Amino acid sequence: MDYGLNGKHVLVTGGATGIGLAVAEAFVGEGARATVSGLSEAEVNTAVMQLGKGAQGMACDLTVAGEDKRLADFAADAAPVDFLINSVGIFEVRPFFETRDEDWFRFFDVNVMTGVRMSRLILKSMLERGEGSIVFISSESAVKPQAWMPHYGAMKACLLGVSRALSELTRGTQVRVNTILPGPTDTTAVRRYHEEIAREKGITREQVVSDYFDETEPTSLIRRMIAPAEVAASVVHLAASPALNGMAMRAEGGTIRAIL
């Protein structure tokens, strides 16, 4: 399907790795130019090389004051931002009783406020132009929270409220704000986590994944990890489809047992 993205400009925060990088690749594959951010120069440079001609990147920490504006200005210098994908986030399994106040605030700053800060800058310019699209990367955990990382589910649920509220600001324009809820995705961070479990138990990573769907995600209909590229394809569709606004799209393989 041709989404008409040739020559458009996408800014993907956290776009140097994981789902963010897959999203940037998907947009580039549709003819868009990409700006990505990441925490390290090495990751950003590797991502830019992988994305190819027209791509650019910046190493920055969006939890640090002023870095959001620096990134927004860097992107805008290349071209107006047509699409903002808020993909910065951290995934960490941590028992509730061992999660301190400062941990909660750190998760909130990374998983929620980075997207809030970038949207505050980019959405304003989109509304002034009367067009643009923002997608927040949430998670199935937003509506199916897990006891082994309540902080993660809480932050991802918060994104649903932020996104929907921002979409109300777009009324009567061609600007849209949406959220996507990926399920268990085969990112480098998740693979590393599975490998740690495999070493502890003395089994293969493949067995860890199999056990995961038997014991932890028995409601999954596809019963496998989702490829980042599969999530990215859904993000492009959500971001580029003119009638989709104020919604939360599920891309979680049927783990959420609901009809809406």
Side-chain angles (χ1 to χ4, degrees), residues 3-199:
Y3 288 102
L5 303 186
N6 194 45
K8 297 292 186 179
H9 184 200
V10 61
L11 168 58
V12 186
T13 68
T17 58
I19 290 175
L21 178 56
V23 169
E25 289 179 317
F27 270 93
V28 168
E30 292 286 334
R33 62 188 302 180
T35 297
V36 299
S37 74
L39 284 176
S40 78
E41 289 281 358
E43 287 181 339
V44 170
N45 291 339
T46 298
V48 169
M49 288 182 61
Q50 187 171 326
L51 292 169
K53 185 179 179 181
Q56 63 175 10
M58 172 182 284
C60 58
D61 182 348
L62 294 176
T63 67
V64 175
E67 290 289 85
D68 53 343
K69 188 174 187 306
R70 191 167 73 93
L71 176 60
D73 290 345
F74 174 74
D77 283 345
V81 175
D82 300 296
F83 300 94
L84 169 63
I85 313 300
N86 289 311
S87 187
V88 170
I90 50 176
F91 159 84
E92 186 175 325
V93 173
R94 183 186 287 264
F96 174 70
F97 296 108
E98 297 175 16
T99 308
R100 304 162 300 175
D101 285 6
E102 52 265 42
D103 297 321
W104 278 88
F105 288 125
R106 177 170 64 90
F107 292 128
F108 183 74
D109 202 12
V110 175
N111 288 338
V112 179
M113 288 307 300
T114 56
V116 169
R117 294 182 183 109
M118 291 308 300
S119 298
R120 190 161 49 207
L121 293 168
I122 303 297
L123 179 59
K124 186 174 182 180
S125 63
M126 287 180 173
L127 290 172
E128 290 171 351
R129 298 198 317 270
E131 60 182 4
S133 178
I134 296 176
V135 175
F136 288 83
I137 307 296
S138 181
S139 166
E140 63 159 332
S141 296
V143 295
K144 187 173 175 281
Q146 294 97 344
W148 56 91
M149 49 180 185
H151 53 279
Y152 183 76
M155 304 312 154
K156 292 300 186 178
C158 186
L159 291 181
L160 299 182
V162 171
S163 177
R164 177 63 206 193
L166 296 186
S167 72
E168 294 293 327
L169 300 177
T170 70
R171 190 183 305 272
T173 73
Q174 295 181 56
V175 182
R176 295 172 294 105
V177 183
N178 294 290
T179 314
I180 192 159
L181 284 68
T185 306
D186 193 27
T187 62
T188 300
V190 172
R191 286 199 301 273
R192 188 181 302 121
Y193 173 61
H194 287 163
E195 287 166 359
E196 290 173 0
I197 295 175
R199 284 193 296 270

